[in-house]
Amino acid sequence: MAASVAVGDVVEDFELLDETGTPRRLDGDLLATGPVVLFFYPAALTSGCTIESCRFRDLAESFAEVKATPVGISRDAVPRQKRFADTYALGFPLLSDPDGVVARRLGARRSYAVGPFLTRRMTFVIDTDRRVLEVINNEAGMQIHADRSLEVLRARQP
């Protein structure tokens, strides 16, 4: 059974390769400039995941205003993540979690596949202290993840 991270929990540091093959750490790397919106998606280059990722891309200026960085994560291999990022000019890191280690740790990995998909569509808004500000678990609302993340981050602003 996958662990489940809730609002207020501290996310354990992790390291995964991004779409360029560069190792990226949550602590000290991704969180260095502000909060991270870590969104899990089932599979790169599929219709729902493209809609979701492009919504984050289209709201890049709004995320920059709250000093937050969207970070996509799926089981896809680095070359597929690169193709996804390049095809849609996403402009934010896409992390490869091929064994679902991070997904399992946060509760975004299913114990069974839904079709070919083991990863749940879930988003974690993570503050600079690695504390979870919000968990968005919505499999069907592709645009809800980016929109709700922004609401939470704007409410956090002084």
Side-chain angles (χ1 to χ4, degrees):
M1 183 72 178
S4 185
V5 173
V7 171
D9 289 350
V10 174
V11 176
E12 187 179 328
D13 192 22
F14 62 81
E15 181 178 285
L16 294 171
L17 298 180
D18 71 11
E19 75 283 0
T20 68
T22 303
R24 303 293 293 265
R25 295 188 72 88
L26 177 64
D27 198 22
D29 177 12
L30 297 171
L31 287 170
T33 59
V36 164
V37 179
L38 187 65
F39 69 99
F40 287 85
Y41 54 93
L45 299 163
T46 58
S47 61
C49 298
T50 298
I51 291 168
E52 179 183 22
S53 298
C54 288
R55 181 68 175 166
F56 277 101
R57 177 203 63 202
D58 294 347
L59 294 172
E61 188 174 303
S62 296
F63 281 104
E65 287 170 3
V66 293
K67 297 181 177 27
T69 304
V71 177
I73 184 169
S74 73
R75 295 181 66 229
D76 294 292
V78 168
R80 188 167 174 91
Q81 297 284 39
K82 174 86 169 120
R83 188 168 139 223
F84 191 32
D86 290 349
T87 299
Y88 295 100
L90 295 177
F92 50 78
L94 296 181
L95 305 181
S96 177
D97 185 21
D99 299 320
V101 173
V102 176
R104 189 176 294 111
R105 192 182 302 160
L106 272 68
R109 181 165 169 114
R110 300 177 201 286
S111 55
Y112 60 91
V114 173
F117 307 127
L118 279 170
T119 303
R120 297 177 193 276
R121 188 178 312 282
M122 289 182 76
T123 298
F124 299 85
V125 181
I126 305 169
D127 210 342
T128 54
D129 61 359
R130 295 194 340 245
R131 195 161 303 280
V132 176
L133 298 173
E134 182 74 305
V135 177
I136 303 152
N137 186 357
N138 189 313
E139 299 276 353
M142 309 311 168
Q143 296 185 355
I144 290 169
H145 294 262
D147 295 348
R148 177 66 187 139
S149 297
L150 272 175
E151 288 174 17
V152 169
L153 291 163
R154 285 177 177 143
R156 169 189 172 275
Q157 295 298 303

